[in-house]
Amino acid sequence: MTHQEHHRSHRSGWLRAAVLGANDGIVSTSSLILGVAAASTAQNDIVLAGLAGLVAGAMSMAAGEYVSVSSQSDTEHADLSMERKALTHHFEAEKEELAEIYVERGLTPELASQVAEQLMQKDALGAHARDEIGITVVSQARPLQAAFSSAAMFTIGALLPLLVAWWAPSVLLIPLVAVASLALLALLGALAACRTFRCTVRY
């Protein structure tokens, strides 16, 4: 019987940006709508203000995520460049360094040396990036993916209180938007948890 595990750590980059974007979309847009509505503004103007907040917020989230994740990506590229130079000029020393890492993880010195040698024969930079620096394909920074996920989910999150404000009667607009926003935040948290953990862990 084959045992298979479906790990979800590869989702962490875009899922973090998506959840943050959706939360911010709900909170900022509903807060804007409630603030404008409290000033006894006409419903059409309230919806227009919410729509303006949606557009501005989506652009801001995209730019913010891109700059933030780009900083991480620049740091990763700098570390990889440094490691590439070290492998060019000090290959044997880098092999010993990698072997020491494996010894610290529990391998015998002889086995650690063999593992380091074989891994570096296949992909020396990849071995050091993964085991020395901690950069993997799964964890590698992706600025465009984070920016798109954040902007898209902000738009979806902002649309929900905006639709409630457009649909609700004027006298009930404030309480309905407030209640709907709280319910949407709770639902989003539950969906994100279920998406990550499938609600149950099966063995």
Side-chain angles (χ1 to χ4, degrees):
M1 184 175 180
T2 304
H3 172 67
Q4 294 183 344
E5 294 178 328
H6 301 284
H7 297 286
R8 297 169 179 81
S9 58
H10 63 280
R11 303 174 180 171
S12 59
W14 66 264
L15 184 60
R16 178 198 62 81
V19 171
L20 179 62
N23 275 329
D24 201 15
I26 295 171
V27 173
S28 61
T29 305
S30 61
S31 298
L32 177 62
I33 289 172
L34 292 174
V36 174
S40 301
T41 310
Q43 190 166 3
N44 288 339
D45 294 333
I46 295 172
V47 173
L48 182 60
L51 185 60
L54 183 155
V55 175
M59 294 175 63
S60 175
M61 290 296 294
E65 281 292 334
Y66 183 82
V67 170
S68 175
V69 180
S70 289
S71 298
Q72 179 186 344
S73 180
D74 291 343
T75 302
E76 292 176 354
H77 283 102
D79 282 344
L80 289 175
S81 178
M82 184 186 305
E83 199 64 33
R84 191 178 290 108
K85 291 179 181 178
L87 288 168
T88 301
H89 300 290
H90 309 286
F91 190 85
E92 292 299 323
E94 288 296 310
K95 186 190 295 183
E96 293 177 4
E97 184 181 28
L98 192 62
E100 290 175 2
I101 292 173
Y102 297 143
V103 169
E104 292 177 358
R105 293 182 181 179
L107 297 184
T108 63
E110 295 78 11
L111 182 56
S113 296
Q114 294 176 13
V115 171
E117 183 174 358
Q118 293 183 23
L119 287 177
M120 289 182 67
Q121 284 178 354
K122 182 179 180 180
D123 183 9
L125 182 61
H128 280 269
R130 180 180 61 252
D131 295 321
E132 181 184 348
I133 307 174
I135 300 174
T136 65
V137 175
V138 172
S139 64
Q140 195 169 16
R142 296 178 175 84
L144 287 175
Q145 182 190 63
F148 177 78
S149 298
S150 184
M153 292 306 297
F154 182 97
T155 302
I156 294 173
L159 273 175
L160 300 175
L162 191 60
L163 289 174
V164 174
W166 173 74
W167 166 81
S170 298
V171 292
L172 297 176
L173 190 148
I174 291 178
L176 285 178
V177 170
V179 171
S181 298
L182 291 174
L184 289 170
L185 288 171
L187 179 61
L188 178 63
L191 288 175
C194 285
R195 184 67 177 170
T196 304
F197 303 108
R198 280 193 175 180
C199 298
T200 59
V201 179
R202 297 180 180 178
Y203 296 95

